[in-house]
Amino acid sequence: MELGEILGDALVYPFQNIKAFAIYLILGIILGIAVAGTFAGMMAGVATDNILAVIGSGIIGIIVALFLGFFISGYELDIIKYGIERSGGAPEIDFVRQFINGIKYFVVSIVYMIIPIILSAILAIIFQHWLSLILTIIVAIIFAFALIMGQCRLAKTEDLVDALSIGEAIGDISKVGVVKLILFVIVITVLSLVLFFIVGLINKWNTVIGGILIGILGIYISFFTARATGLLYSDV
């Protein structure tokens, strides 16, 4: 698919699947409430010099956030899968499978982040500062793009080994098209920033309405990005 077709489809996709979008929105709101509640509990503990309350709130908050985050990530993978299949439908809730897939994606993300960090440290030892910096940036970009491919591979097969086949994931970059992938990331980023800027202006005018719109927009961008990512990978 051409980039224009991908973006056009992804922009309207959430509105064509209101039920799925509503589910995704509810999950995001619950996660936001959990994080906010954790922060409030920790601040209350600090204010009363109650170390146990701070630690307890922090631990509970992290557990709840990870629990919901894994599930949301798994649901997002299903949106990507529907995009890869170019299906106009939307995922239903499959709690256990999506939760497990969310954990898999967490593992994939860690691996794809750790490797460039290690490589960057090695490059810093071998080369001069300016050269190591340039090479580090190049390596970071390659692995960031490879992670997108790894995410798509996981969404498509639900196979952790397949998603962690870094060489094949990097090979998928050329199949998608390096220029196309770069433009994809740039357009998604710019579009997201513009939308958040507009909502930010509304937030200055009315914090209640603006706050609600920021929350909705955040979920919309995630939904839209997942759909667009799946469509981008559908030609591989």
Side-chain angles (χ1 to χ4, degrees), residues 40-104:
M42 293 178 69
M43 291 300 98
V46 171
T48 57
D49 293 324
N50 189 333
I51 301 300
L52 290 178
V54 174
I55 296 175
S57 296
I59 293 175
I60 293 173
I62 291 172
I63 292 174
V64 173
L66 286 175
F67 189 81
L68 291 172
F70 289 152
F71 179 60
I72 291 173
S73 293
Y75 190 80
E76 189 172 294
L77 287 171
D78 277 354
I79 296 175
I80 293 174
K81 184 174 183 178
Y82 274 62
I84 294 173
E85 297 172 348
R86 300 188 185 181
S87 169
E92 297 291 339
I93 293 291
D94 188 343
F95 186 83
V96 175
R97 184 181 59 80
Q98 289 165 344
F99 179 79
I100 293 173
N101 285 341
I103 295 175
K104 291 178 183 177

Side-chain angles (χ1 to χ4, degrees), residues 142-203:
I142 291 173
F143 272 84
F145 288 166
L147 176 57
I148 296 175
M149 300 296 100
Q151 182 185 31
C152 291
R153 294 172 71 86
L154 179 61
K156 183 176 182 179
T157 65
E158 300 187 18
D159 186 344
L160 186 59
V161 175
D162 191 44
L164 289 174
S165 299
I166 297 175
E168 294 183 16
I170 292 175
D172 286 343
I173 295 175
S174 61
K175 294 178 182 178
V176 169
V178 176
V179 175
K180 186 177 181 180
L181 184 54
I182 292 174
L183 289 175
F184 174 82
V185 173
I186 291 174
V187 172
I188 293 291
T189 302
V190 171
L191 181 61
S192 299
L193 290 175
V194 169
L195 290 175
F196 274 113
F197 176 75
I198 294 172
V199 173
L201 293 177
I202 297 174
N203 187 58

Side-chain angles (χ1 to χ4, degrees), residues 107-130:
V107 172
V108 170
S109 300
I110 294 296
V111 172
Y112 276 80
M113 286 189 292
I114 286 179
I115 293 177
I117 291 174
I118 295 173
L119 291 176
S120 298
I122 295 173
L123 291 172
I125 295 173
I126 298 174
F127 299 103
Q128 296 180 356
H129 176 69
W130 65 270

